[in-house]
């Protein structure tokens, strides 16, 4: 089973249909609107604009598990992201990424090591997972890793569909 087989709702209801991303590279990011890392939305949106036509998308996954930094409703989250950062990439429903209520999307993701070898629970908002076109996890990036670093863009470029 790959992440493309996981069922998750879209931010404003209905299925987010991850199967539509099969054959594409996807950067899955747990996001929050009231975090010190929230300005990363700008870099994520620039990645979306830069690589979308080459078979890539960012997938934002709102989560309120880290100091209540994503308290808003679906409409409030969508409005904030659009108005403040011009976000055009898809967003899922708000989910839990850690603990007994961990969403199935994150069940396998947390077992993948980042460049320093860390595996396990999501550490904070804006932890990133690059999913290869075949649905395998190609890379994991710490929350503080800015979206447009050479480390992230290099991994994206390496995993874009041929």
């Amino acid at each position: 089973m790959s992440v493309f087989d996981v069922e998750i709702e879209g931010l404003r209801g209905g299925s987010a249909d991850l199967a539509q991303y099969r054959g594409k590279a996807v950067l899955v990011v747990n996001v929050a609107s009231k975090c010190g890392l929230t300005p990363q939305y700008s870099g994520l949106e620039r990645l979306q604009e830069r690589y979308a036509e080459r078979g890539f998308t960012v997938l934002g996954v709102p989560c309120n598990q880290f100091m209540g930094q994503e308290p808003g409703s679906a409409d409030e989250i969508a409005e904030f992201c659009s108005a403040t950062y011009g976000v055009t990439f898809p967003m899922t429903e708000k989910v839990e990424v850690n603990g007994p209520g961990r969403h199935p999307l994150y069940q396998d993701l947390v077992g993948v090591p980042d460049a320093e070898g860390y595996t396990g629970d999501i550490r904070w908002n804006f932890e990133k997972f690059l999913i290869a076109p075949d649905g395998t996890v190609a890379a994991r990036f710490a929350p503080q890793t800015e979206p447009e670093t050479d480390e992230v863009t290099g991994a994206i470029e390496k995993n874009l569909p041929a």
Side-chain angles (χ1 to χ4, degrees):
M1 184 167 160
S2 79
V3 298
F4 301 133
D5 299 316
V6 174
E7 291 187 23
I8 190 168
E9 296 293 310
L11 182 60
R12 291 186 165 159
S15 173
D17 188 20
L18 300 184
Q20 70 180 309
Y21 304 118
R22 194 177 308 277
K24 295 183 177 185
V26 180
L27 189 67
V28 176
V29 186
N30 63 300
V31 295
S33 301
K34 300 187 182 307
C35 173
L37 300 176
T38 300
Q40 286 191 23
Y41 268 125
S42 294
L44 294 170
E45 179 59 24
R46 285 190 296 272
L47 289 178
Q48 179 72 17
E49 293 168 3
R50 180 174 174 184
Y51 294 112
E53 290 183 10
R54 295 175 60 193
F56 169 81
T57 192
V58 172
L59 181 65
V61 183
C63 177
N64 195 38
Q65 285 189 288
F66 303 98
M67 294 182 62
Q69 295 181 341
E70 188 57 275
S73 68
D75 287 341
E76 289 168 336
I77 294 167
E79 175 61 26
F80 171 82
C81 290
S82 175
T84 309
Y85 292 101
V87 168
T88 62
F89 55 81
M91 302 273 284
T92 71
E93 66 183 316
K94 191 181 335 184
V95 302
E96 291 186 7
V97 298
N98 289 333
R102 183 188 329 257
H103 191 278
L105 178 60
Y106 279 85
Q107 298 281 345
D108 292 330
L109 295 181
V110 297
V112 174
D114 66 12
E116 286 75 46
Y118 175 83
T119 60
D121 282 348
I122 303 302
R123 294 165 282 194
W124 199 252
N125 302 308
F126 292 89
E127 192 141 350
K128 301 156 199 71
F129 294 87
L130 180 62
I131 311 302
D134 66 0
T136 60
V137 182
R140 179 178 186 168
F141 304 99
Q144 298 80 7
T145 303
E146 290 289 333
E148 295 177 287
T149 63
D150 290 344
E151 178 185 11
V152 176
T153 59
I156 290 169
E157 290 178 7
K158 180 179 170 188
N159 285 280
L160 290 171

